[in-house]
């Protein structure tokens, strides 16, 4: 099989999990995959203390840190629109969600951005890992988060609206990258206000 990142041929190593359990096949060679670094950052919610978003997100798990390998992966996946690259993290994501009971809700893209980017990158990461999800939110704001100050981001009007029924259940938000946390806190608050009992979040990257 050919590595999705460097293109060299590699032999996926057999593991006992593959024999007895469901396990996704690796789509990258060990050398390329070892360039991604697991994140050990603890996520700090102190920015949200004392705001209406305090307590909206129960826990966040970010799987990888943002390094050179991740930067070039994201560039190719998001901006060069190489949808096949969704497979690179299929196995890790499948394991991260395995046994985690909750309804998975991807953070949506604004429809205008979806046209530019041609496919919903966050949804495709879940699809590639065979993780079922529900679309409960739609994006209302187009303004780029990165151009705002921290205060402006916290005070901004909600970035999303709820478009389907939210149950008194456990939800798991999924996004590609955790930077300021504003996106996930906005989304989590909407779900909690609509009746969700617990809102966790998983992101591929800690920015
Ligand atoms: Zn490779």
């Amino acid at each position: 099989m050919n590595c999705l990142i460097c293109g060299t041929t590699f032999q996926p190593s057999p593991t006992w999990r593959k024999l007895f359990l469901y396990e996704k096949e690796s789509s990258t060679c060990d050398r390329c995959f070892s360039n991604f670094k697991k994140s050990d950052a603890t996520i700090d919610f102190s920015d949200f203390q004392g705001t209406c978003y305090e307590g909206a997100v129960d826990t966040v798990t970010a799987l990888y840190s943002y390094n050179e390998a991740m930067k070039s992966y994201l560039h190719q996946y998001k901006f060069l629109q190489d949808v096949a690259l969704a497979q690179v993290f299929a196995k890790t994501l499948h394991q991260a969600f395995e046994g985690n009971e909750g309804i998975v809700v991807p953070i949506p893209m604004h429809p205008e951005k979806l046209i530019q980017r041609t496919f919903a990158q966050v949804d495709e990461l879940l699809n590639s890992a065979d993780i079922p999800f529900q679309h409960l939110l739609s994006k209302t704001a187009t303004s780029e988060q990165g151009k705002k100050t921290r205060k402006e981001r916290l005070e901004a009007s909600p970035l999303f609206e709820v478009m389907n029924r939210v149950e008194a259940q456990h939800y798991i938000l999924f996004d590609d990258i955790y930077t300021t946390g504003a996106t996930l806190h906005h989304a989590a608050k909407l779900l909690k206000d609509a009746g969700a009992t617990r809102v966790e979040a998983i992101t591929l990257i800690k920015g």
Side-chain angles (χ1 to χ4, degrees), residues 12-26 90-92 94-95 98 129-130:
S13 54
T15 66
W16 69 270
R17 284 178 62 96
K18 274 184 207 156
L19 293 174
F20 300 107
L21 297 164
Y22 172 84
E23 184 174 271
K24 299 287 291 181
E25 204 66 78
S26 299
K91 190 170 148 183
T92 333
H94 192 85
Q95 286 167 1
E98 202 171 41
D130 298 325

Side-chain angles (χ1 to χ4, degrees), residues 7-204:
T8 57
T9 309
F10 73 102
Q11 198 62 50
S13 54
T15 66
W16 69 270
R17 284 178 62 96
K18 274 184 207 156
L19 293 174
F20 300 107
L21 297 164
Y22 172 84
E23 184 174 271
K24 299 287 291 181
E25 204 66 78
S26 299
S27 53
T28 47
C29 71
D30 289 346
R31 204 174 58 118
C32 286
F33 203 73
S34 69
N35 291 328
F36 298 114
K37 291 284 169 268
K38 287 260 165 121
S39 172
D40 49 15
T42 45
I43 294 183
D44 172 17
F45 292 161
S46 59
D47 277 359
F48 301 96
Q49 276 162 19
T51 74
C52 64
Y53 298 103
E54 183 171 346
V57 179
D58 290 287
T59 60
V60 177
T61 308
L63 303 173
Y64 291 93
S65 55
Y66 187 73
N67 63 3
E68 275 306 311
M70 193 56 89
K71 188 174 163 189
S72 85
Y73 168 80
L74 280 183
H75 178 76
Q76 207 174 341
Y77 181 52
K78 293 173 85 158
F79 299 100
L80 306 179
Q81 293 149 11
D82 188 349
V83 68
L85 287 177
Q87 288 295 331
V88 169
F89 295 105
K91 190 170 148 183
T92 333
L93 286 172
H94 192 85
Q95 286 167 1
F97 281 90
E98 202 171 41
N100 209 333
E101 285 186 23
I103 300 164
V104 179
V105 178
I107 293 295
M109 264 175 150
H110 193 276
E112 280 169 27
K113 199 153 191 178
L114 184 58
I115 294 168
Q116 275 174 27
R117 295 275 177 88
T118 71
F119 66 98
Q121 287 106 2
V122 170
D123 294 6
E124 276 313 311
L125 290 170
L126 294 172
N127 282 333
S128 72
D130 298 325
I131 298 161
F133 58 84
Q134 279 183 18
H135 278 138
L136 285 185
L137 302 167
S138 63
K139 188 126 190 193
T140 51
T142 39
S143 58
E144 290 289 332
Q145 290 277 313
K147 292 177 189 137
K148 290 183 179 169
T149 65
R150 190 181 78 81
K151 194 166 180 292
E152 282 169 342
R153 279 193 305 264
L154 291 176
E155 288 171 358
S157 54
L159 301 168
F160 306 100
E161 57 189 23
V162 176
M163 60 174 192
N164 278 314
R165 198 180 139 75
V166 176
E167 312 283 337
Q169 286 221 38
H170 175 182
Y171 288 89
I172 307 169
L173 291 167
F174 177 67
D175 204 1
D176 50 359
I177 189 160
Y178 186 100
T179 42
T180 65
T183 301
L184 287 173
H185 277 79
H186 276 225
K189 182 171 166 28
L190 280 173
L191 295 181
K192 284 249 170 106
D193 288 350
T197 51
R198 182 173 172 81
V199 181
E200 291 180 19
I202 294 179
T203 68
L204 181 64

